[in-house]
RNA sequence: GGCGGCGUCGCCAAGUGGUAAGGCAGAGGUCUGCAAAACCUCCACCAUCGGUUCGAAUCCGAUCGCCGCCUCCA
């Protein structure tokens, strides 16, 4: 039985979608004003594993990930650079999509932009104005928290003990509010050159939380299954989404709330101030392979704080290498006609353990351990030539199925070796045959330098990338 | 001030009452012309102190240390 830890209750709950066989997910996406950083991608890889696993479990998945293309930072940035919102956000959205592909993150079914949904947001605000949960002040419109009784149910925060501004993040633009805790739904323009939209509720632009409520309801309905995000969004973002959504519809907004913990870099919070702020591109420039990054990001369960380190990347890379070598060995294993089926049985056990682990709130650490158990069981069988054709197929199918969720092996990738390299391999084989090992080693060094690895085996010399 | 999380092998990291998964790194060995890959063997008194229990890394309390959120950071 698949279970998730629901932030709303703190409990591990059996997952049951509203509609049989289909899951509707809303995942908080990027604000496209800059390059996304590695911490962002911990969360986005989590979303990806979530959707892939739901499909593994037979569900049809509809995931909506919003693209925030208007907010304070974007507005300030465009004014400073004297460019349009479109110019800035299109550029960084493109980079973002590239980065997602680099990390083998599947594209969500819907990626709506906030600026394309202004009418939906305005309609939501009108609804809240009509039922008295929102009010206008100096041209802006605010949500009246005192009008929504369950406020705080997600984050467990009580308004009394909560000191607004304690974290030093008070709204710099000082909007007028009836209560410090109230949040803005619609912002009247305050800055020179600030982009605003004319509407029935006045000229302005949407507040932070509004887009998520409007767009999730549009694409997923007033109540949907899973709402996911980073832990920092629990309060105030998701708390406010609940208030304005449920305040408007009177219905449960999202049923399961899943939040991923942040990562640290070398045991330290990632921050520009500490100089340890890393974008995906920074890492790639330093020669880190993308799949090692993905592997590291999912090597710990999404709800644990991950320590992202250079050593960790090296270890991830080596772990991946072991997995890839295993797949290659299984593929090339000589068929044993009298195999006893132990390989196939091990594959079945792996899938069972893998599913049990993932069923437990997506425990990717244990799921990876299941895969390595298979590696550890089957490798000796390969050495002993006990793998039959049926075993091989079962093992490869099981690995493929698991990697459909993990997405780290790139199984379909072209592994062909260029002719120049094959030529060198032939030269070396010739040198070895004439026992000219000096020359053979020299040639091997050249092959290594070109990024290929030589392996001599009883079945002949093999060469592969990297 | 309010709310919450965490301290497990050199590193990463599972395990939430029955006696420590997995990966990386390391040591020794097999195989190899040498390597590589693979295999075999080895590698943890679970922050500290006290308590509950037949039994605790796991529950309770205290202490020390680290971290997150508290109005626009995933």
């Amino acid at each position: 039985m698949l279970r998730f830890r629901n932030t709303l209750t703190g409990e591990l709950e059996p997952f049951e979608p509203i509609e049989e066989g289909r899951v509707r997910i809303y995942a908080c996406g990027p604000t496209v004003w800059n390059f996304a950083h590695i911490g962002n991608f911990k969360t986005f890889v989590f979303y990806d594993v979530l959707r892939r696993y739901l499909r593994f479990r037979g569900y049809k998945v509809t995931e909506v990930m919003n693209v925030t293309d208007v907010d304070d930072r974007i507005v300030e940035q465009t004014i400073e650079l004297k460019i349009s919102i479109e110019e800035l956000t299109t550029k960084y959205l493109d980079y973002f999509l590239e980065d997602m592909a680099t990390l083998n993150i599947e594209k969500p079914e819907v990626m709506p932009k906030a600026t394309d949904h202004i009418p939906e947001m305005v309609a939501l605000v009108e609804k809240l104005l009509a039922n008295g949960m929102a009010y206008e002040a100096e041209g802006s419109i605010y949500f009246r928290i005192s009008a929504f009784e369950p406020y705080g149910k997600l984050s467990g925060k009580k308004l009394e003990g909560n000191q607004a501004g304690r974290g030093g993040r008070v709204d710099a633009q000082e909007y007028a509010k009836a209560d410090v805790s109230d949040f803005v739904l619609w912002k009247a323009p305050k800055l020179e050159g600030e982009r605003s939209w004319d509407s029935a509720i006045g000229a302005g632009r949407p507040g932070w939380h509004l887009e998520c409520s409007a767009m999730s309801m549009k694409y997923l309905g007033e109540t949907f299954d899973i709402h996911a995000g980073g832990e920092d969004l629990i309060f105030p973002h998701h708390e406010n989404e609940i208030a304005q959504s449920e305040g408007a519809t009177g219905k449960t907004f999202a049923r399961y709330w899943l939040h991923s913990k942040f990562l640290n870099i070398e045991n330290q919070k990632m921050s520009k101030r500490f100089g340890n702020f890393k974008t995906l591109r920074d890492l790639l420039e330093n020669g880190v392979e993308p799949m090692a990054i993905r592997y590291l990001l999912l090597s710990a369960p999404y709800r644990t704080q991950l320590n992202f380190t250079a050593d960790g990347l090296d270890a991830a890379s080596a772990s991946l290498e072991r997995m890839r070598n295993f797949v290659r060995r299984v593929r090339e294993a000589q068929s044993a006609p009298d195999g006893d089926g132990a390989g196939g049985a091990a594959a079945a056990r792996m899938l069972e353990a893998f599913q049990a682990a993932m069923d437990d709130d997506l425990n990717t650490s244990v799921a990876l351990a299941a895969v390595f158990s298979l590696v550890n069981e089957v490798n000796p069988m390969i050495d002993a030539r006990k793998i039959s054709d049926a075993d091989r197929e079962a093992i490869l199918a099981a690995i493929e199925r698991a990697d459909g969720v993990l997405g780290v092996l790139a199984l379909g990738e072209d592994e062909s070796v260029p002719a120049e390299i094959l030529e060198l391999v032939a030269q070396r084989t010739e040198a070895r045959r004439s026992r000219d090992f000096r020359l053979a080693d020299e040639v091997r060094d050249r092959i290594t330098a070109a990024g290929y690895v030589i392996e001599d085996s009883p079945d002949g010399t093999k060469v592969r990338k990297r």
Side-chain angles (χ1 to χ4, degrees):
Chain A
M1 190 197 352
L2 173 56
R3 298 195 289 182
F4 291 125
R5 185 158 302 275
N6 190 348
T7 306
L8 200 54
T9 59
E11 303 287 321
L12 201 57
E13 299 175 356
F15 176 69
E16 283 165 28
I18 296 165
E19 183 188 329
E20 171 108 31
R22 156 159 244 114
V23 182
R24 293 180 171 82
I25 305 173
Y26 188 86
C28 279
T31 300
V32 285
W33 71 300
N34 210 329
F35 291 108
H37 55 69
I38 201 65
N40 297 126
F41 286 112
K42 176 177 189 283
T43 298
F44 298 140
V45 166
F46 149 58
Y47 297 162
D48 189 52
V49 169
L50 170 65
R51 53 172 290 131
R52 284 165 176 261
Y53 187 61
L54 286 166
R55 280 216 315 277
F56 174 102
R57 281 301 237 127
Y59 293 106
K60 289 235 179 309
V61 173
T62 305
E63 179 192 3
V64 175
M65 179 191 271
N66 63 299
V67 173
T68 300
D69 60 351
V70 54
D71 84 329
D72 287 356
R73 287 171 299 180
I74 289 173
V75 168
E76 282 160 19
Q77 190 89 168
T78 51
I79 290 174
E80 200 185 311
L81 299 175
K82 294 189 168 60
I83 56 175
S84 70
I85 282 187
E86 286 72 18
E87 207 176 322
L88 180 75
T89 60
T90 316
K91 175 174 145 189
Y92 284 106
L93 176 56
D94 286 347
Y95 286 135
F96 176 71
L97 293 173
E98 272 179 37
D99 288 353
M100 293 274 279
T102 299
L103 288 177
N104 199 20
I105 295 171
E106 295 180 347
K107 227 177 149 189
E109 282 64 29
V110 191
M111 289 189 74
K113 291 183 188 175
T115 54
D116 289 338
H117 296 78
I118 302 290
E120 287 86 346
M121 293 190 239
V122 168
L124 186 62
V125 173
E126 285 180 313
K127 226 168 167 176
L128 291 167
L129 281 168
N131 72 12
M133 295 196 133
Y135 61 91
E136 185 268 329
E138 295 181 16
S140 291
I141 299 173
Y142 299 90
F143 185 90
R144 192 189 311 279
I145 282 178
S146 57
F148 185 70
E149 194 272 325
Y151 192 84
K153 69 176 176 177
L154 181 71
S155 60
K157 290 189 188 304
K158 300 175 208 76
L159 289 174
E160 304 81 59
N162 214 351
Q163 296 183 11
R166 182 96 196 178
R169 289 205 293 169
V170 200
D171 192 323
Q173 296 190 28
E174 292 185 48
Y175 293 87
K177 295 190 262 194
D179 185 296
V180 282
S181 302
D182 289 350
F183 61 91
V184 68
L185 293 164
W186 189 254
K187 298 179 133 176
K190 290 279 195 280
L191 300 173
E192 182 68 29
E194 179 173 345
R195 176 75 190 271
S196 80
W197 283 261
D198 287 319
S199 78
I201 54 174
R205 60 184 169 91
W208 180 27
H209 321 293
L210 193 58
E211 61 175 285
C212 290
S213 291
M215 300 196 296
S216 60
M217 285 190 225
K218 171 168 181 178
Y219 295 102
L220 300 171
E222 291 181 340
T223 302
F224 54 94
D225 298 300
I226 297 174
H227 195 129
E231 58 166 340
D232 59 314
L233 299 182
I234 297 171
F235 188 90
H237 185 50
H238 290 161
E239 196 70 75
N240 291 350
E241 277 184 50
I242 290 175
Q244 66 197 9
S245 303
E246 300 191 353
T249 66
K251 294 177 188 158
T252 298
F253 181 46
R255 300 171 72 213
Y256 299 86
W257 289 85
L258 273 44
H259 292 101
S260 63
K261 268 231 166 34
F262 275 14
L263 55 71
N264 279 163
I265 294 202
E266 307 290 347
N267 278 311
Q268 218 178 20
K269 182 186 163 88
M270 178 171 69
S271 155
K272 284 186 174 137
R273 208 183 333 155
F274 295 140
N276 63 358
F277 193 88
K278 296 252 185 300
T279 66
L280 178 62
R281 279 144 201 270
D282 293 335
L283 293 169
L284 297 179
E285 273 169 25
N286 288 326
V288 180
E289 62 162 326
M291 285 308 97
I293 298 169
R294 181 177 169 103
Y295 184 100
L296 181 56
L297 291 177
L298 58 70
S299 65
Y302 75 96
R303 269 182 196 273
T304 67
Q305 188 168 69
L306 173 77
N307 192 17
F308 193 95
T309 65
D311 286 351
L313 280 170
D314 289 344
S317 199
S319 303
L320 263 180
E321 188 62 16
R322 181 165 165 81
M323 274 195 196
R324 291 193 201 108
N325 286 339
F326 175 69
V327 172
R328 194 172 304 109
R329 274 168 59 85
V330 174
R331 278 181 182 157
E332 293 168 357
Q334 286 201 348
S335 174
D338 55 339
D340 56 5
R349 268 200 307 282
M350 183 278 271
L351 278 181
E352 215 171 289
F354 181 87
Q355 178 166 324
M358 293 300 287
D359 270 0
D360 180 21
D361 199 29
L362 308 180
N363 192 331
T364 42
S365 298
V366 175
L368 284 170
V371 174
F372 278 108
S373 294
L374 179 67
V375 174
N376 294 334
E377 276 188 85
V378 170
N379 263 331
M381 294 183 199
I382 296 174
D383 285 348
R385 312 226 163 192
K386 286 196 328 214
I387 297 297
S388 68
D389 288 340
D391 285 328
R392 181 173 48 238
E393 275 171 39
I395 294 163
L396 290 175
I399 288 280
E400 199 172 322
R401 189 151 157 70
D403 194 57
V405 177
L406 302 171
V408 292
L409 288 178
L411 290 171
E413 214 166 72
D414 180 23
E415 291 196 340
S416 60
V417 177
E420 313 90 81
I421 301 295
L422 291 176
E423 173 56 28
L424 288 173
V425 173
Q427 274 181 35
R428 174 171 172 275
T429 302
E430 190 45 48
R432 290 180 72 220
R433 194 167 296 146
S434 51
R435 305 196 66 80
D436 184 352
F437 296 122
R438 258 187 63 120
L439 177 62
D441 289 351
E442 228 170 78
V443 175
R444 179 169 60 196
D445 287 346
R446 285 168 62 195
I447 294 170
T448 306
Y452 290 81
V453 181
I454 283 280
E455 279 181 28
D456 296 325
S457 82
D459 306 323
T461 295
K462 289 168 188 158
V463 62
R464 62 185 163 81
K465 198 148 201 268
R466 203 177 198 286

